[in-house]
Amino acid sequence: VEPVLALCPTMKFSVLALVGALATTNAFLSGSVPSATRRTAPVNKGIFMRKRAVSPMKGKSKVLLSKDLEGVGRSEEVVTVKNGFYLNYILPRGLGSLATGEALEQAAIVAAKRAEEDAVIAAAAAENKVKLEEIKEYTVTKKVGADEQLFGSVSVPDILGAVEAASGLTLGSPKVKVEDIKMAGTYDFTIKLHQGVTAVLSLAVVPEAEDAVSEE
């Protein structure tokens, strides 16, 4: 009996294919297969591309205001707003329109003129601030009761009246900031005369004279 059985042609081919596959696998794992025959995954270079800068005007428009709009701008001024705000608020209310090249030029002229006017007003406000702070303390008289509690309160017109009477200035309607006064005493307050120009002053609230009270 022969020690090795003869194999049919089909079995011989299968065995040879299996041996060849095993040999190729071992060679690949050991690094002996040429690099040209290895397949590598394609590199997606797109993920490393630098993103384009977003335009600061994206989603926004330059608008020429036709009326003063609090918190946005003044009439005949060009402002930059979001498209939605322009389409949903400014345009339907007739508060402005998209700024054309001609409108931008006209707005620049208006802005320059206003800057000159504001400079004059600011200079006058600065002078008034000096005058007011030279006097420093202003007096308001009020009726008082027990423990010097006031009958009523000290209003902004009371304060402005006292300041104008003592200084000889006409202040109009500036913004006055003062705490709620309920008793006689001395209190600090401020008057905003112009943007960036605020006078820091003192107010003395004193009881009315008894003879003045009795006459009433």
Side-chain angles (χ1 to χ4, degrees), residues 9-19:
T10 303
M11 293 181 64
K12 286 181 180 181
F13 178 78
S14 300
V15 171
L16 290 174
L18 178 61
V19 171

Side-chain angles (χ1 to χ4, degrees), residues 9-208:
T10 303
M11 293 181 64
K12 286 181 180 181
F13 178 78
S14 300
V15 171
L16 290 174
L18 178 61
V19 171
L22 290 174
T24 302
T25 302
N26 290 333
F28 182 84
L29 294 175
S30 63
S32 60
V33 177
S35 59
T37 63
R38 299 180 186 176
R39 293 183 178 181
T40 57
V43 177
N44 185 2
K45 296 182 179 181
I47 61 174
F48 300 105
M49 294 177 64
R50 183 177 298 174
K51 293 183 178 180
R52 294 181 179 180
V54 179
S55 170
M57 286 299 294
K58 184 177 181 180
K60 299 178 181 179
S61 300
K62 287 187 178 295
V63 176
L64 175 64
L65 295 177
S66 57
K67 297 179 181 179
D68 291 348
L69 187 56
E70 186 176 356
V72 179
R74 299 163 63 183
S75 174
E76 298 185 83
E77 183 178 355
V78 173
V79 296
T80 300
V81 298
K82 292 183 178 179
N83 291 339
F85 182 63
Y86 168 69
L87 294 173
N88 299 323
Y89 189 87
I90 294 179
L91 183 61
R93 291 166 175 77
L95 299 175
S97 58
L98 290 177
T100 62
E102 183 180 352
L104 291 173
E105 293 178 2
Q106 182 61 33
I109 296 173
V110 172
K113 183 177 179 181
R114 283 179 174 171
E116 293 178 0
E117 294 173 349
D118 286 344
V120 174
I121 295 173
E127 291 180 4
N128 289 341
K129 177 179 182 294
V130 172
K131 293 178 181 178
L132 295 177
E133 291 184 344
E134 284 178 350
I135 299 173
K136 188 63 179 176
E137 186 173 276
Y138 299 85
T139 303
V140 170
T141 58
K142 284 290 181 179
K143 293 180 182 179
V144 298
D147 299 325
E148 296 196 341
Q149 292 281 344
L150 300 183
F151 290 118
S153 62
V154 178
S155 66
V156 170
D158 291 335
I159 296 173
L160 287 177
V163 171
E164 289 183 341
S167 64
L169 299 175
T170 301
L171 301 177
S173 302
K175 185 176 181 180
V176 177
K177 188 174 181 180
V178 65
E179 65 181 282
D180 188 20
I181 301 173
K182 296 181 179 180
M183 297 182 62
T186 302
Y187 302 86
D188 292 331
F189 71 101
T190 60
I191 298 180
K192 185 176 181 181
L193 303 169
H194 190 67
Q195 185 67 33
V197 183
T198 300
V200 181
L201 308 170
S202 180
L203 179 69
V205 181
V206 300
E208 286 185 352

